[in-house]
Amino acid sequence: MRQLYVRGTWVPSSSGDGTDVVDPATEQVIDRVPAGSPDDVDRAVAAAREAFPAWSRTPAAERGALLRAAAGLLRDRAGEVARIISTDMGAPCAMALKVQTLLPLTVLEDHARMAADLDETGRRSGGSLIVREPAGVVAAITPWNYPLHQVVCKVAPALATGCTVVLKPSEVAPLAAYALAEILHDAGLPPGVFNMVSGLGPVVGEALAAHPGVDMVSFTGSTRAGRRVAALAAHTVKRVALELGGKSANVILPGADLRAAVKVGVANAYLNSGQTCSAWSRMLVHRDHYDEAVELSVAAAAGYTVGDPFDETTRLGPLVSAAQRDRVVRYVNRGQEEGARLVAGGTDPPRERGFYVEPAVFAGVEPGMAIEQEEIFGPVLVIVPYITVDEAVEIANGTPYGLAGAVWADTEEAAVAVARRLRTGQVAINGGRFDPSAPFGGYKQSGVGRELGEHGLEEYQEIKALLL
Protein backbone atom coordinates (compact mmCIF):
# COMPACT_ATOMS: atom_id res chain seq x y z
CA MET A 1 0.00 0.00 0.00
CA ARG A 2 1.17 3.54 -0.75
CA GLN A 3 1.81 6.13 1.94
CA LEU A 4 0.92 9.72 2.79
CA TYR A 5 3.19 12.65 1.99
CA VAL A 6 3.79 14.82 5.08
CA ARG A 7 6.65 17.19 5.89
CA GLY A 8 8.61 16.17 2.81
CA THR A 9 8.58 12.41 3.44
CA TRP A 10 6.37 9.42 2.74
CA VAL A 11 4.76 8.17 5.95
CA PRO A 12 2.18 5.47 6.76
CA SER A 13 -1.34 6.42 7.79
CA SER A 14 -2.19 6.09 11.46
CA SER A 15 -5.42 4.34 10.46
CA GLY A 16 -3.77 1.33 8.86
CA ASP A 17 -6.74 1.17 6.48
CA GLY A 18 -6.67 1.50 2.72
CA THR A 19 -8.80 1.99 -0.37
CA ASP A 20 -8.48 -0.08 -3.52
CA VAL A 21 -7.87 1.74 -6.80
CA VAL A 22 -9.80 0.05 -9.62
CA ASP A 23 -9.08 0.22 -13.36
CA PRO A 24 -12.51 1.14 -14.79
CA ALA A 25 -11.75 -0.56 -18.11
CA THR A 26 -10.92 -3.95 -16.60
CA GLU A 27 -12.58 -3.74 -13.16
CA GLN A 28 -9.30 -5.00 -11.70
CA VAL A 29 -7.64 -3.60 -8.56
CA ILE A 30 -4.42 -1.89 -9.67
CA ASP A 31 -3.23 -0.17 -6.49
CA ARG A 32 -4.13 0.65 -2.91
CA VAL A 33 -3.85 3.99 -1.12
CA PRO A 34 -4.19 4.87 2.56
CA ALA A 35 -7.56 5.75 4.00
CA GLY A 36 -6.29 8.63 6.07
CA SER A 37 -7.57 9.55 9.52
CA PRO A 38 -8.24 12.81 11.41
CA ASP A 39 -4.91 12.23 13.17
CA ASP A 40 -3.20 12.17 9.76
CA VAL A 41 -4.93 15.46 8.93
CA ASP A 42 -3.65 16.97 12.18
CA ARG A 43 -0.09 15.96 11.31
CA ALA A 44 -0.32 17.38 7.80
CA VAL A 45 -1.88 20.65 8.92
CA ALA A 46 0.77 21.05 11.62
CA ALA A 47 3.47 20.52 8.99
CA ALA A 48 1.88 23.10 6.71
CA ARG A 49 1.56 25.64 9.53
CA GLU A 50 5.20 25.19 10.53
CA ALA A 51 6.34 25.67 6.94
CA PHE A 52 4.14 28.69 6.25
CA PRO A 53 6.21 31.52 7.79
CA ALA A 54 9.37 30.71 5.83
CA TRP A 55 7.53 29.88 2.59
CA SER A 56 5.38 33.02 2.71
CA ARG A 57 8.55 35.13 3.12
CA THR A 58 10.34 33.36 0.27
CA PRO A 59 10.66 35.83 -2.62
CA ALA A 60 7.95 35.26 -5.21
CA ALA A 61 10.57 34.83 -7.92
CA GLU A 62 12.06 31.87 -6.01
CA ARG A 63 8.63 30.31 -5.57
CA GLY A 64 8.08 30.74 -9.30
CA ALA A 65 11.41 29.07 -10.04
CA LEU A 66 10.41 26.00 -8.03
CA LEU A 67 7.08 25.80 -9.88
CA ARG A 68 8.97 26.14 -13.15
CA ALA A 69 11.22 23.25 -12.13
CA ALA A 70 8.16 21.15 -11.30
CA ALA A 71 6.67 22.01 -14.68
CA GLY A 72 9.86 20.84 -16.37
CA LEU A 73 9.68 17.50 -14.56
CA LEU A 74 6.02 17.10 -15.47
CA ARG A 75 6.88 17.75 -19.12
CA ASP A 76 9.59 15.08 -18.95
CA ARG A 77 7.15 12.60 -17.39
CA ALA A 78 4.05 13.58 -19.37
CA GLY A 79 3.72 10.28 -21.20
CA GLU A 80 4.03 8.30 -17.98
CA VAL A 81 1.49 10.51 -16.17
CA ALA A 82 -0.95 10.23 -19.07
CA ARG A 83 -0.76 6.44 -18.91
CA ILE A 84 -1.41 6.60 -15.17
CA ILE A 85 -4.53 8.70 -15.78
CA SER A 86 -5.80 6.39 -18.53
CA THR A 87 -5.51 3.42 -16.18
CA ASP A 88 -6.70 5.29 -13.10
CA MET A 89 -9.92 6.84 -14.44
CA GLY A 90 -10.37 5.61 -18.00
CA ALA A 91 -9.59 8.61 -20.22
CA PRO A 92 -8.54 7.57 -23.76
CA CYS A 93 -4.76 7.80 -24.08
CA ALA A 94 -4.71 10.72 -26.53
CA MET A 95 -7.11 12.73 -24.37
CA ALA A 96 -5.21 11.75 -21.22
CA LEU A 97 -2.07 13.27 -22.71
CA LYS A 98 -3.49 16.39 -24.38
CA VAL A 99 -6.18 17.43 -21.89
CA GLN A 100 -5.49 15.58 -18.67
CA THR A 101 -1.70 16.14 -18.63
CA LEU A 102 -0.53 18.88 -21.01
CA LEU A 103 -3.33 21.27 -20.00
CA PRO A 104 -2.36 21.19 -16.30
CA LEU A 105 1.26 21.51 -17.42
CA THR A 106 0.30 24.78 -19.13
CA VAL A 107 -1.50 25.90 -15.96
CA LEU A 108 1.57 25.10 -13.87
CA GLU A 109 3.82 27.05 -16.24
CA ASP A 110 1.38 29.99 -16.18
CA HIS A 111 1.52 30.11 -12.39
CA ALA A 112 5.30 29.90 -12.38
CA ARG A 113 5.30 32.99 -14.58
CA MET A 114 2.65 34.78 -12.50
CA ALA A 115 4.57 34.05 -9.30
CA ALA A 116 7.65 35.67 -10.76
CA ASP A 117 5.56 38.71 -11.69
CA LEU A 118 3.73 39.12 -8.37
CA ASP A 119 3.69 42.65 -7.01
CA GLU A 120 5.26 42.41 -3.54
CA THR A 121 5.45 46.14 -2.95
CA GLY A 122 1.73 47.01 -3.05
CA ARG A 123 -0.05 50.00 -4.52
CA ARG A 124 -1.03 53.41 -3.22
CA SER A 125 -4.69 54.20 -2.73
CA GLY A 126 -5.42 57.57 -1.18
CA GLY A 127 -3.28 57.80 1.94
CA SER A 128 -2.80 54.02 2.23
CA LEU A 129 -0.60 51.29 0.83
CA ILE A 130 -2.61 48.24 -0.27
CA VAL A 131 -0.72 44.95 -0.18
CA ARG A 132 -1.68 41.35 -0.90
CA GLU A 133 -0.48 38.53 1.35
CA PRO A 134 -0.89 34.72 1.23
CA ALA A 135 -4.08 33.41 2.81
CA GLY A 136 -2.22 30.80 4.90
CA VAL A 137 -2.69 27.03 5.04
CA VAL A 138 -4.88 25.82 2.19
CA ALA A 139 -6.85 22.58 2.18
CA ALA A 140 -7.29 21.48 -1.44
CA ILE A 141 -10.01 18.85 -1.94
CA THR A 142 -10.15 17.58 -5.50
CA PRO A 143 -12.33 15.29 -7.67
CA TRP A 144 -11.66 12.23 -9.83
CA ASN A 145 -12.74 13.43 -13.26
CA TYR A 146 -9.67 15.59 -13.98
CA PRO A 147 -7.38 14.11 -11.34
CA LEU A 148 -4.27 16.15 -12.22
CA HIS A 149 -5.78 19.31 -13.69
CA GLN A 150 -8.01 20.06 -10.70
CA VAL A 151 -5.11 19.47 -8.32
CA VAL A 152 -2.83 21.84 -10.26
CA CYS A 153 -5.60 24.47 -10.46
CA LYS A 154 -5.46 24.68 -6.64
CA VAL A 155 -1.91 23.77 -5.70
CA ALA A 156 -0.20 26.02 -8.27
CA PRO A 157 -1.84 29.32 -7.26
CA ALA A 158 -1.60 28.45 -3.57
CA LEU A 159 2.15 27.82 -3.80
CA ALA A 160 2.70 30.76 -6.13
CA THR A 161 1.17 33.20 -3.65
CA GLY A 162 3.08 31.81 -0.65
CA CYS A 163 0.45 29.53 0.87
CA THR A 164 1.20 26.04 2.11
CA VAL A 165 -1.04 23.14 1.14
CA VAL A 166 -2.67 19.97 2.38
CA LEU A 167 -4.14 18.07 -0.57
CA LYS A 168 -6.86 15.46 -0.36
CA PRO A 169 -7.21 13.85 -3.79
CA SER A 170 -10.21 11.74 -4.71
CA GLU A 171 -9.90 8.20 -3.43
CA VAL A 172 -11.50 7.00 -6.68
CA ALA A 173 -8.64 8.14 -8.93
CA PRO A 174 -5.71 9.26 -6.74
CA LEU A 175 -2.67 8.08 -8.69
CA ALA A 176 -2.04 11.26 -10.70
CA ALA A 177 -1.89 13.20 -7.43
CA TYR A 178 0.76 10.77 -6.19
CA ALA A 179 2.74 11.41 -9.38
CA LEU A 180 2.51 15.17 -8.78
CA ALA A 181 3.63 14.78 -5.17
CA GLU A 182 6.73 12.96 -6.42
CA ILE A 183 7.36 15.73 -8.95
CA LEU A 184 7.07 18.49 -6.34
CA HIS A 185 9.40 16.57 -4.06
CA ASP A 186 11.96 16.08 -6.83
CA ALA A 187 11.68 19.77 -7.77
CA GLY A 188 13.00 20.65 -4.31
CA LEU A 189 9.93 22.06 -2.62
CA PRO A 190 10.77 22.66 1.07
CA PRO A 191 9.36 20.11 3.57
CA GLY A 192 5.85 20.90 4.77
CA VAL A 193 5.02 23.33 1.99
CA PHE A 194 3.03 20.62 0.19
CA ASN A 195 1.41 17.70 2.00
CA MET A 196 -1.00 15.01 0.81
CA VAL A 197 -3.45 12.89 2.79
CA SER A 198 -5.48 10.41 0.77
CA GLY A 199 -8.74 9.07 2.12
CA LEU A 200 -12.50 9.32 2.13
CA GLY A 201 -14.38 12.60 1.86
CA PRO A 202 -16.50 12.14 4.99
CA VAL A 203 -13.32 11.47 7.00
CA VAL A 204 -10.33 13.34 5.57
CA GLY A 205 -12.26 15.96 3.59
CA GLU A 206 -14.50 16.90 6.49
CA ALA A 207 -11.60 16.98 8.95
CA LEU A 208 -9.78 19.42 6.67
CA ALA A 209 -12.81 21.63 6.06
CA ALA A 210 -13.48 21.94 9.80
CA HIS A 211 -9.86 22.14 10.96
CA PRO A 212 -9.02 25.30 12.94
CA GLY A 213 -5.48 25.20 11.54
CA VAL A 214 -6.69 25.54 7.95
CA ASP A 215 -7.12 29.14 6.74
CA MET A 216 -8.77 28.36 3.40
CA VAL A 217 -10.47 25.40 1.78
CA SER A 218 -10.72 25.06 -1.98
CA PHE A 219 -13.10 22.32 -3.08
CA THR A 220 -14.15 20.94 -6.45
CA GLY A 221 -16.94 18.39 -6.61
CA SER A 222 -20.68 17.98 -6.45
CA THR A 223 -22.95 20.77 -5.27
CA ARG A 224 -24.22 18.55 -2.47
CA ALA A 225 -20.69 17.93 -1.16
CA GLY A 226 -19.86 21.61 -1.61
CA ARG A 227 -22.70 22.61 0.70
CA ARG A 228 -21.28 20.28 3.35
CA VAL A 229 -17.77 21.69 2.97
CA ALA A 230 -19.09 25.26 3.28
CA ALA A 231 -21.11 24.39 6.38
CA LEU A 232 -18.12 22.81 8.10
CA ALA A 233 -15.81 25.66 7.13
CA ALA A 234 -18.28 28.22 8.50
CA HIS A 235 -17.57 27.16 12.08
CA THR A 236 -14.07 28.63 11.85
CA VAL A 237 -15.04 31.36 9.35
CA LYS A 238 -12.31 30.35 6.92
CA ARG A 239 -12.09 31.38 3.29
CA VAL A 240 -13.95 29.03 0.96
CA ALA A 241 -13.67 28.56 -2.81
CA LEU A 242 -16.12 26.13 -4.40
CA GLU A 243 -16.20 24.83 -7.98
CA LEU A 244 -19.33 22.69 -8.17
CA GLY A 245 -21.79 21.17 -10.62
CA GLY A 246 -23.14 22.37 -13.92
CA LYS A 247 -25.87 21.87 -16.50
CA SER A 248 -24.55 24.10 -19.22
CA ALA A 249 -26.54 25.17 -22.26
CA ASN A 250 -25.30 25.27 -25.84
CA VAL A 251 -27.58 27.92 -27.38
CA ILE A 252 -27.73 27.75 -31.18
CA LEU A 253 -29.41 30.84 -32.64
CA PRO A 254 -31.09 31.05 -36.08
CA GLY A 255 -28.53 31.89 -38.73
CA ALA A 256 -25.66 30.15 -36.93
CA ASP A 257 -23.58 27.48 -38.64
CA LEU A 258 -25.75 24.59 -37.45
CA ARG A 259 -23.40 21.81 -38.54
CA ALA A 260 -20.43 23.34 -36.75
CA ALA A 261 -22.49 24.16 -33.65
CA VAL A 262 -23.79 20.60 -33.38
CA LYS A 263 -20.45 18.97 -34.08
CA VAL A 264 -18.60 21.03 -31.48
CA GLY A 265 -21.53 20.80 -29.07
CA VAL A 266 -21.62 17.01 -29.16
CA ALA A 267 -17.86 16.86 -28.70
CA ASN A 268 -18.08 19.11 -25.66
CA ALA A 269 -20.98 17.14 -24.16
CA TYR A 270 -19.05 13.88 -24.52
CA LEU A 271 -15.62 15.13 -23.45
CA ASN A 272 -14.13 12.81 -20.85
CA SER A 273 -17.13 10.50 -21.36
CA GLY A 274 -19.36 13.36 -20.22
CA GLN A 275 -17.64 13.48 -16.84
CA THR A 276 -17.01 17.22 -17.08
CA CYS A 277 -18.69 19.79 -14.83
CA SER A 278 -18.70 22.38 -17.63
CA ALA A 279 -20.03 20.02 -20.33
CA TRP A 280 -22.62 21.55 -22.68
CA SER A 281 -25.10 18.83 -21.80
CA ARG A 282 -28.15 20.81 -23.04
CA MET A 283 -28.42 21.81 -26.69
CA LEU A 284 -31.01 24.55 -27.31
CA VAL A 285 -32.16 24.82 -30.93
CA HIS A 286 -34.83 26.91 -32.65
CA ARG A 287 -37.87 24.82 -33.48
CA ASP A 288 -37.43 25.48 -37.22
CA HIS A 289 -34.02 23.75 -37.13
CA TYR A 290 -34.75 21.24 -34.40
CA ASP A 291 -35.22 18.08 -36.48
CA GLU A 292 -32.04 18.77 -38.43
CA ALA A 293 -30.08 19.34 -35.22
CA VAL A 294 -31.35 16.05 -33.81
CA GLU A 295 -30.36 14.23 -36.99
CA LEU A 296 -26.90 15.80 -36.97
CA SER A 297 -26.43 14.97 -33.28
CA VAL A 298 -27.35 11.33 -33.78
CA ALA A 299 -24.89 11.07 -36.67
CA ALA A 300 -22.16 12.73 -34.60
CA ALA A 301 -22.82 10.46 -31.60
CA ALA A 302 -22.34 7.40 -33.81
CA GLY A 303 -18.72 8.45 -34.34
CA TYR A 304 -17.86 8.28 -30.63
CA THR A 305 -16.39 4.80 -30.40
CA VAL A 306 -16.55 3.28 -26.94
CA GLY A 307 -13.59 1.11 -26.03
CA ASP A 308 -10.28 0.40 -24.35
CA PRO A 309 -8.54 3.66 -23.35
CA PHE A 310 -5.29 2.37 -24.87
CA ASP A 311 -6.87 1.62 -28.26
CA GLU A 312 -6.09 4.56 -30.55
CA THR A 313 -9.53 4.28 -32.19
CA THR A 314 -11.35 4.80 -28.88
CA ARG A 315 -13.05 8.16 -28.40
CA LEU A 316 -14.95 7.36 -25.19
CA GLY A 317 -13.43 5.36 -22.37
CA PRO A 318 -15.33 3.85 -19.44
CA LEU A 319 -16.95 5.84 -16.69
CA VAL A 320 -14.82 6.01 -13.58
CA SER A 321 -16.72 3.49 -11.45
CA ALA A 322 -19.62 1.07 -11.30
CA ALA A 323 -21.53 3.60 -9.21
CA GLN A 324 -21.09 6.30 -11.86
CA ARG A 325 -22.12 3.93 -14.65
CA ASP A 326 -25.24 2.93 -12.74
CA ARG A 327 -26.10 6.58 -12.09
CA VAL A 328 -25.98 7.39 -15.79
CA VAL A 329 -28.08 4.35 -16.71
CA ARG A 330 -30.72 5.43 -14.17
CA TYR A 331 -30.94 8.85 -15.80
CA VAL A 332 -31.27 7.34 -19.27
CA ASN A 333 -34.15 5.21 -18.00
CA ARG A 334 -35.70 8.18 -16.22
CA GLY A 335 -35.56 10.33 -19.33
CA GLN A 336 -37.59 7.75 -21.22
CA GLU A 337 -40.04 7.44 -18.34
CA GLU A 338 -40.56 11.22 -18.45
CA GLY A 339 -41.48 11.03 -22.13
CA ALA A 340 -38.28 12.13 -23.84
CA ARG A 341 -37.20 10.15 -26.91
CA LEU A 342 -33.90 8.28 -26.72
CA VAL A 343 -32.67 8.64 -30.32
CA ALA A 344 -29.11 7.40 -29.75
CA GLY A 345 -27.54 5.12 -27.17
CA GLY A 346 -29.12 2.73 -24.73
CA THR A 347 -28.75 1.07 -21.36
CA ASP A 348 -27.28 -2.29 -22.39
CA PRO A 349 -23.55 -2.60 -21.57
CA PRO A 350 -21.59 -2.03 -24.80
CA ARG A 351 -18.71 -4.22 -23.55
CA GLU A 352 -18.56 -7.36 -21.45
CA ARG A 353 -16.15 -5.91 -18.92
CA GLY A 354 -15.62 -2.36 -17.71
CA PHE A 355 -17.83 0.52 -16.59
CA TYR A 356 -18.95 1.52 -20.09
CA VAL A 357 -22.12 3.21 -21.35
CA GLU A 358 -23.16 4.15 -24.86
CA PRO A 359 -23.25 7.87 -25.73
CA ALA A 360 -26.88 8.94 -25.59
CA VAL A 361 -28.95 11.64 -27.30
CA PHE A 362 -32.43 12.63 -26.13
CA ALA A 363 -34.95 14.48 -28.30
CA GLY A 364 -38.38 15.72 -27.31
CA VAL A 365 -36.95 17.13 -24.10
CA GLU A 366 -39.01 19.70 -22.23
CA PRO A 367 -37.79 22.22 -19.65
CA GLY A 368 -38.23 20.84 -16.14
CA MET A 369 -37.52 17.21 -16.95
CA ALA A 370 -34.93 15.67 -14.64
CA ILE A 371 -32.56 15.00 -17.55
CA GLU A 372 -32.81 18.70 -18.47
CA GLN A 373 -32.37 20.00 -14.92
CA GLU A 374 -29.97 17.68 -13.13
CA GLU A 375 -26.28 17.03 -13.66
CA ILE A 376 -25.89 13.49 -15.04
CA PHE A 377 -22.09 13.44 -15.40
CA GLY A 378 -22.04 11.02 -18.29
CA PRO A 379 -22.24 11.04 -22.12
CA VAL A 380 -25.88 12.13 -22.27
CA LEU A 381 -26.95 15.04 -24.50
CA VAL A 382 -30.47 16.50 -24.28
CA ILE A 383 -31.84 18.65 -27.10
CA VAL A 384 -34.46 21.26 -26.23
CA PRO A 385 -36.47 23.32 -28.74
CA TYR A 386 -37.31 27.00 -28.35
CA ILE A 387 -39.23 29.58 -30.39
CA THR A 388 -37.90 32.99 -29.34
CA VAL A 389 -34.50 34.15 -28.16
CA ASP A 390 -36.08 35.26 -24.88
CA GLU A 391 -37.37 31.73 -24.39
CA ALA A 392 -33.91 30.30 -25.13
CA VAL A 393 -32.35 32.57 -22.52
CA GLU A 394 -35.03 31.62 -20.00
CA ILE A 395 -34.42 27.90 -20.58
CA ALA A 396 -30.65 28.33 -20.42
CA ASN A 397 -30.96 30.16 -17.10
CA GLY A 398 -33.65 27.82 -15.80
CA THR A 399 -31.50 25.42 -13.76
CA PRO A 400 -29.87 25.85 -10.34
CA TYR A 401 -26.49 25.90 -12.05
CA GLY A 402 -24.41 28.50 -13.89
CA LEU A 403 -20.95 27.21 -14.67
CA ALA A 404 -20.41 27.40 -18.44
CA GLY A 405 -22.20 27.46 -21.77
CA ALA A 406 -22.01 28.45 -25.41
CA VAL A 407 -23.79 30.70 -27.89
CA TRP A 408 -23.67 30.37 -31.67
CA ALA A 409 -24.96 33.10 -34.01
CA ASP A 410 -24.33 34.47 -37.48
CA THR A 411 -22.20 37.28 -36.01
CA GLU A 412 -19.99 37.60 -32.96
CA GLU A 413 -21.97 40.68 -31.91
CA ALA A 414 -25.26 38.76 -31.88
CA ALA A 415 -23.72 35.87 -29.94
CA VAL A 416 -22.15 38.17 -27.35
CA ALA A 417 -25.47 39.98 -26.83
CA VAL A 418 -27.14 36.71 -25.83
CA ALA A 419 -24.11 35.48 -23.87
CA ARG A 420 -24.29 38.61 -21.71
CA ARG A 421 -27.79 37.53 -20.67
CA LEU A 422 -26.73 34.06 -19.50
CA ARG A 423 -26.23 33.68 -15.76
CA THR A 424 -23.11 31.60 -16.01
CA GLY A 425 -19.40 32.04 -15.35
CA GLN A 426 -18.01 31.25 -18.78
CA VAL A 427 -19.53 31.32 -22.28
CA ALA A 428 -17.89 30.16 -25.52
CA ILE A 429 -18.73 32.39 -28.49
CA ASN A 430 -19.10 30.61 -31.84
CA GLY A 431 -16.84 27.78 -30.75
CA GLY A 432 -14.33 29.78 -28.74
CA ARG A 433 -11.73 27.44 -27.26
CA PHE A 434 -11.06 26.86 -23.57
CA ASP A 435 -8.60 29.46 -22.27
CA PRO A 436 -6.48 28.30 -19.28
CA SER A 437 -5.65 31.92 -18.45
CA ALA A 438 -9.32 32.98 -18.23
CA PRO A 439 -11.16 32.84 -14.88
CA PHE A 440 -13.24 29.69 -14.44
CA GLY A 441 -16.08 29.36 -11.94
CA GLY A 442 -19.80 29.58 -11.53
CA TYR A 443 -22.90 31.52 -10.66
CA LYS A 444 -25.67 30.22 -8.40
CA GLN A 445 -25.15 26.64 -7.17
CA SER A 446 -22.16 26.12 -9.45
CA GLY A 447 -19.89 27.61 -6.83
CA VAL A 448 -18.12 30.53 -5.22
CA GLY A 449 -14.90 32.10 -6.46
CA ARG A 450 -12.75 31.57 -9.54
CA GLU A 451 -9.86 29.40 -10.67
CA LEU A 452 -7.15 30.08 -13.27
CA GLY A 453 -5.54 33.31 -14.36
CA GLU A 454 -5.06 36.39 -12.23
CA HIS A 455 -8.55 36.11 -10.72
CA GLY A 456 -7.83 32.57 -9.58
CA LEU A 457 -4.54 33.68 -8.04
CA GLU A 458 -6.33 36.35 -6.00
CA GLU A 459 -8.49 33.70 -4.28
CA TYR A 460 -5.39 32.67 -2.31
CA GLN A 461 -4.50 36.16 -1.14
CA GLU A 462 -5.64 38.38 1.71
CA ILE A 463 -5.76 42.16 1.25
CA LYS A 464 -4.15 44.42 3.83
CA ALA A 465 -4.33 48.21 4.05
CA LEU A 466 -1.34 50.00 5.56
CA LEU A 467 -2.59 53.40 6.69
CA LEU A 468 0.31 55.78 6.18
Side-chain angles (χ1 to χ4, degrees), residues 112-268:
R113 174 187 52 77
M114 285 191 287
D117 293 339
L118 278 177
D119 178 9
E120 297 183 281
T121 60
R123 66 176 181 85
R124 292 276 184 166
S125 178
S128 303
L129 179 66
I130 311 302
V131 296
R132 290 184 176 273
E133 298 180 343
V137 174
V138 173
I141 305 174
T142 58
W144 47 258
N145 60 328
Y146 289 88
L148 180 62
H149 179 65
Q150 291 304 132
V151 170
V152 170
C153 284
K154 301 180 188 306
V155 171
L159 297 182
T161 54
C163 298
T164 54
V165 177
V166 180
L167 168 68
K168 192 213 88 69
S170 169
E171 71 280 4
V172 178
L175 301 184
Y178 273 83
L180 181 66
E182 292 169 357
I183 285 171
L184 293 173
H185 179 87
D186 292 347
L189 207 64
V193 171
F194 170 84
N195 308 271
M196 184 175 70
V197 180
S198 58
L200 303 177
V203 179
V204 175
E206 293 202 1
L208 281 169
H211 203 290
V214 170
D215 300 295
M216 174 182 175
V217 58
S218 179
F219 171 83
T220 296
S222 71
T223 296
R224 178 181 178 182
R227 294 190 193 104
R228 177 64 177 165
V229 166
L232 291 167
H235 291 287
T236 50
V237 199
K238 56 172 58 74
R239 294 169 68 91
V240 177
L242 303 172
E243 198 263 279
L244 308 177
K247 193 68 177 177
S248 301
N250 179 20
V251 181
I252 304 174
L253 299 174
D257 183 339
L258 185 63
R259 287 185 176 274
V262 169
K263 179 181 178 180
V264 176
V266 171
N268 185 284

Side-chain angles (χ1 to χ4, degrees), residues 418-431:
V418 171
R420 293 291 297 267
R421 299 173 63 186
L422 301 187
R423 299 287 294 168
T424 188
Q426 196 170 89
V427 184
I429 303 298
N430 286 336

